[in-house]
Amino acid sequence: MTTTIRPVLPDDRGRFGDYGGKFVPETLMAALAELESAYAQARADAAFQQELAHLLHSYAGRPTALYHARNLSRHCGGAKIYLKREDLAHTGAHKINNALGQALLARRMGKGRIIAETGAGQHGVATATVCAMLGLKCIVYMGAEDVQRQSLNVFRMKLLEAEVIPVESGTRTLKDAINEAIRDWVTNVETTHYLIGSVVGPHPYPMLVRDFQSVIGREARAQLLEAEGRLPNYVVACVGGGSNAIGTFYQFLGDESVKLVGVEAGGEGVETGHHAASLTAGHPGVLHGAMSYLLQDRHGQVMPTHSISAGLDYPGVGPEHSYLKDTGRAQYLAVTDSQALEGFHLLCRTEGIIPALESSHAVYYASQLARTLSPEQIVLVCLSGRGDKDMGIVAQAEGITI
Amino acid sequence: MAPLTSKAVVRDRIKEKFAALKREGRGGLIVFLTAGFPDRQATLELVPALVAAGADAVELGIPFSDPLAEGPTIQESTFRALQQGITLEDCLEMARVLRPQVPDTPLVLMGYYNPIYQFGLERFAQNCQEAGVDGVIVVDLPQEETGPLAAQCAARGIHIIPLLAPTSTDASIKAAVHTGGGFVYCISLIGVTGARDQVSNRGFELLERVRVHTSLPLAVGFGISTRQHVEQVWRQAQAAVVGSALVRLMLESPRGQLADRASRFVAQLAGRNPPKQGGTAR
């Protein structure tokens, strides 16, 4: 176990190296400054931290289990595969960690109206859940296409008394839901907190979402040390905006022996152009408030993306991932829709766990990686969410009528 | 690099225009239209027609796929321009063609950062200078992030026009008017672009706070839609910016009547007699 001194990132301009920053309309700048200072105070406030820890434990069900997937490991015939079971957290994904943290922060700032964007609906559900519990008004923007393909989650949000607004503009997916949420925020900034669901957006969001999600890696690292007495050789997580990945990676950044792998959505194949692999196939640009890798044409127009999993279907990525890629500390690659489906079935069959299609990307890559490794090596996978929401999509992809 | 000699002949049309307005004792009218909407030719016809009808300066909107500060009207015109394949290069080319036709009118490019960043900041500033663009407004580039673009533009006499909002802090107002130039674009309301029924008081409060920190002329935009709004703005600022109301009229007009209807609207906003019907229609 070796540790080196790393710079504390982001810097005071919200930069991770060249990435990040605050590329937003002037109307929002004061709100970002307010959020930054509220967060700095909350972070140092023991009462805030205690309330968050209490809710993460008693409401969200933390710590989530670390599961040694023996059958999957045996099936792959190589390294030991461990799953960090974020699918067991309340609402079925890691999204609740950040939703709780930010909603407490919003309440602290006296903002009773919460807006959020959602792709797969998991962040929308987590936000609606926390708002119901804390008595906050909740509005969720969701691309019209995602409203269709994730109708179950739309119903869940409505049960939780959130207002779900389908977004018809642009590509009608996550990117456009974020545009619309930002337009709402620009209009209602004085009364509203924008509860961003991933490590994207202007500073301080990539930092504070990372901090709220880093509970994943903190727990997993300790649990693995307890179970195995050593660190993993690899940590694998799927990357759309990249919040579960950063949340898992963060605690391992200083452990040089631990290789970090982010798995992006390869869609129909990166070579086809129908994918959402920003780090694999994009180049640096500015979208939604931050400089980061971006899928765009040569004129700087953001490209339409495709993934079987709505939660990864996003042309940008969190700026810290861009930094980790450029510095070589993490490695990023893409897994296609059909490979993700293979990973999905593999985990259902071998372990009796139905993963989210997002997480299935990581499962597939981990299963391929494990077979190239020896039995004493360890691969830690963040199983970011459960797959109940994806039944319709999987059935449709396989020509089955439910 | 542009030859140094060309710098000496760069005119400050924005400064000249506001000086002329002051001499004439009237307010200025700045119009915004999305470049390349509904097509390139329309922009090339409209700009001289609108200037003839009473526009004192023209903002050409650079289409971007994710216009996150725009209301539905400018989203729609932007989308239609993108469908025409309009790029930043096209916008610069339109400015180049328009320049000699409206030799004294400030031309300002307004858009989002990513197309400019991908074009290359130095190349962008050079091209602006060559095309006769007088200033740029970048919606998602607050003062904190303006440095690299400002460094390229300042050397070539291209103003970075500060965009300030009712939520701007005094510190950011101070910093923005220090980096920026030309005029200060004061957002009249807390919200996205789009025509409104009345002018928000928040914009007038902002003017008071901005005036303390700068002698630059002040323009008020967002939601300014009628002659009455324009007059209201002129009582407190040097210029009014009309965007969505004009673009909405363009969205509603048949292509053949576009220049005519837009010119009449601008003449009405400027408080002039409308131009003779049919004069500019195709």
Side-chain angles (χ1 to χ4, degrees):
Chain A
M1 212 189 311
T2 53
T3 40
T4 50
I5 295 165
R6 288 170 297 117
V8 177
L9 294 176
D11 64 18
D12 55 9
R13 290 168 60 236
R15 295 287 184 142
F16 304 88
D18 293 336
Y19 302 106
K22 290 182 184 176
F23 296 87
V24 293
E26 170 66 19
T27 304
L28 298 178
M29 289 300 282
L32 292 176
E34 181 192 1
L35 180 60
E36 203 176 333
S37 103
Y39 177 59
Q41 286 167 18
R43 188 154 57 169
D45 178 353
F48 178 87
Q49 295 297 347
Q50 259 167 29
E51 185 175 13
L52 179 57
H54 171 72
L55 287 173
L56 285 172
H57 174 69
S58 64
Y59 186 71
R62 303 207 71 91
T64 57
L66 181 74
Y67 173 66
H68 179 195
R70 286 194 173 79
N71 301 326
L72 177 64
S73 306
R74 196 177 311 123
H75 173 89
C76 298
K80 281 185 188 171
I81 300 173
Y82 274 86
L83 304 176
K84 178 59 175 166
R85 299 289 309 275
E86 291 302 295
D87 60 318
L88 296 177
H90 183 38
T91 70
H94 70 292
K95 295 292 187 187
I96 193 83
N97 305 329
N98 168 53
L100 271 172
Q102 279 197 55
L104 289 179
L105 201 52
R107 197 182 61 181
R108 195 183 164 94
M109 290 189 292
K111 297 199 171 180
R113 181 175 180 272
I114 303 291
I115 56 171
E117 83 295 337
T118 196
Q122 288 304 109
H123 173 58
V125 168
T127 305
T129 297
V130 171
C131 287
M133 191 259 293
L134 293 175
L136 302 166
K137 185 173 164 54
C138 179
I139 292 104
V140 179
Y141 289 93
M142 190 169 185
E145 190 182 325
D146 294 335
V147 167
Q148 278 174 5
R149 57 179 170 174
Q150 302 285 351
S151 54
L152 192 63
N153 270 343
V154 174
F155 186 61
R156 291 169 79 193
M157 287 184 269
K158 287 181 177 169
L159 286 177
L160 296 160
E161 299 201 329
E163 185 186 346
V164 180
I165 302 181
V167 176
E168 300 284 352
S169 60
T171 58
R172 306 164 85 236
T173 60
L174 180 56
K175 151 181 107 73
D176 308 286
I178 296 180
N179 288 341
E180 211 52 41
I182 293 176
R183 290 183 189 117
D184 180 317
W185 202 32
V186 167
T187 307
N188 301 296
V189 62
E190 291 167 308
T191 58
T192 298
H193 175 67
Y194 179 16
L195 206 159
I196 292 186
S198 192
V199 285
V200 301
H203 179 66
Y205 284 104
M207 171 181 76
L208 70 92
V209 178
R210 173 197 71 195
D211 291 354
F212 289 137
Q213 291 295 1
S214 62
V215 65
I216 304 172
R218 220 164 34 242
E219 286 176 8
R221 192 174 182 278
Q223 288 166 321
L224 196 62
L225 283 175
E226 167 137 13
E228 293 279 346
R230 62 197 175 88
L231 293 171
N233 299 84
Y234 288 86
V235 176
V236 179
C238 66
V239 177
S243 70
N244 90 84
I246 282 287
T248 314
F249 292 173
Y250 194 61
Q251 203 64 28
F252 293 100
L253 284 178
D255 303 319
E256 282 183 354
S257 65
V258 180
K259 296 187 177 71
L260 308 173
V261 185
V263 184
E264 295 193 292
E268 292 166 14
V270 170
E271 68 291 347
T272 66
H274 299 138
H275 61 82
S278 324
L279 291 159
T280 307
H283 54 277
V286 172
L287 178 68
H288 296 150
M291 175 81 69
S292 197
Y293 278 81
L294 179 62
L295 292 169
Q296 55 185 324
D297 69 14
R298 65 190 179 88
H299 302 295
Q301 307 296 348
V302 179
M303 306 258 277
T305 52
H306 165 80
S307 170
I308 192 168
S309 81
L312 302 183
D313 202 352
Y314 181 63
V317 66
E320 192 162 9
H321 285 294
S322 294
Y323 173 77
L324 293 177
K325 175 190 161 85
D326 282 9
T327 57
R329 180 62 190 93
Q331 184 200 344
Y332 297 87
L333 44 85
V335 153
T336 65
D337 288 351
S338 57
Q339 290 169 332
L341 280 169
E342 207 180 312
F344 173 87
H345 284 296
L346 183 62
L347 198 63
C348 291
R349 201 167 61 232
T350 57
E351 298 290 354
I353 297 170
I354 301 177
L357 282 174
E358 290 78 12
S359 324
S360 300
H361 286 73
V363 170
Y364 175 83
Y365 176 71
S367 71
Q368 296 300 305
L369 172 68
R371 64 189 71 197
T372 68
L373 303 175
S374 62
E376 62 277 7
Q377 290 183 293
I378 297 171
V379 176
L380 169 67
V381 183
C382 181
L383 196 67
S384 56
R386 69 179 186 223
D388 307 43
K389 70 187 173 63
D390 293 319
M391 294 300 98
I393 296 166
V394 174
Q396 195 187 13
E398 294 168 2
I400 297 161
T401 313
I402 301 178
Chain B
M1 288 289 282
L4 280 173
T5 50
S6 70
K7 243 164 66 174
V9 296
V10 170
R11 287 175 56 186
D12 190 338
R13 289 185 196 82
I14 296 176
K15 198 173 178 180
E16 289 172 20
K17 175 58 76 175
F18 279 100
L21 290 170
K22 195 173 180 183
R23 268 198 315 276
E24 294 163 25
R26 63 181 183 93
L29 177 65
I30 303 174
V31 297
F32 168 95
L33 59 165
T34 303
F37 164 73
D39 52 63
R40 285 180 181 77
Q41 190 54 37
T43 305
L44 296 179
E45 285 170 24
L46 274 165
V47 170
L50 300 184
V51 169
D56 294 297
V58 178
E59 293 174 6
L60 288 175
I62 306 163
F64 178 51
S65 53
D66 294 82
L68 48 76
E70 313 300 341
T73 305
I74 293 175
Q75 283 181 51
E76 174 70 16
S77 63
T78 293
F79 178 69
R80 303 254 304 261
L82 286 174
Q83 281 183 318
Q84 301 281 319
I86 301 297
T87 65
L88 173 54
E89 204 147 14
D90 295 323
C91 298
L92 287 160
E93 179 56 27
M94 284 182 244
R96 203 185 324 268
V97 174
L98 288 165
R99 182 73 282 163
Q101 298 179 46
V102 288
D104 303 322
T105 306
L107 288 177
V108 171
L109 292 181
M110 182 164 183
Y112 292 78
Y113 192 47
N114 198 51
I116 296 170
Y117 182 73
Q118 299 308 323
F119 193 83
L121 303 183
E122 184 179 6
R123 182 173 164 229
F124 173 72
Q126 256 172 25
N127 277 253
C128 281
Q129 187 184 20
E130 284 158 19
V133 169
D134 304 288
V136 291
I137 305 173
V138 189
V139 179
D140 55 352
L141 202 65
Q143 197 276 330
E144 279 188 52
E145 304 288 357
T146 308
L149 181 62
Q152 295 300 328
C153 287
R156 297 178 174 84
I158 315 289
H159 293 297
I160 306 253
I161 293 160
L163 196 56
L164 293 170
T167 52
S168 296
T169 61
D170 290 336
S172 69
I173 290 172
K174 206 172 162 182
V177 297
H178 179 74
T179 315
F183 62 92
V184 182
Y185 190 134
C186 297
I187 300 175
S188 73
L189 46 78
I190 298 178
V192 295
T193 59
R196 305 288 202 280
D197 291 338
Q198 56 189 37
V199 184
S200 158
N201 279 330
R202 301 293 296 267
F204 297 127
E205 292 161 23
L206 171 65
L207 290 173
E208 298 301 319
R209 294 198 292 129
V210 176
R211 237 189 298 272
V212 175
H213 297 285
T214 183
S215 55
L216 287 172
L218 308 184
V220 175
F222 280 42
I224 311 302
S225 324
T226 65
R227 169 67 188 167
Q228 196 203 346
H229 294 168
V230 170
E231 286 179 331
Q232 213 180 329
V233 168
W234 283 350
R235 284 196 284 273
Q236 314 200 40
Q238 279 72 44
V241 188
V242 178
S244 295
L246 175 62
V247 172
R248 189 169 66 186
L249 178 86
M250 289 168 63
L251 279 162
E252 289 164 356
S253 299
R255 179 66 178 86
Q257 295 172 25
L258 200 59
D260 193 49
R261 290 183 67 175
S263 300
R264 288 169 156 273
F265 179 57
V266 167
Q268 191 194 342
L269 292 171
R272 293 200 193 171
N273 292 325
K276 282 207 168 58
Q277 198 167 5
T280 50
R282 278 207 309 197

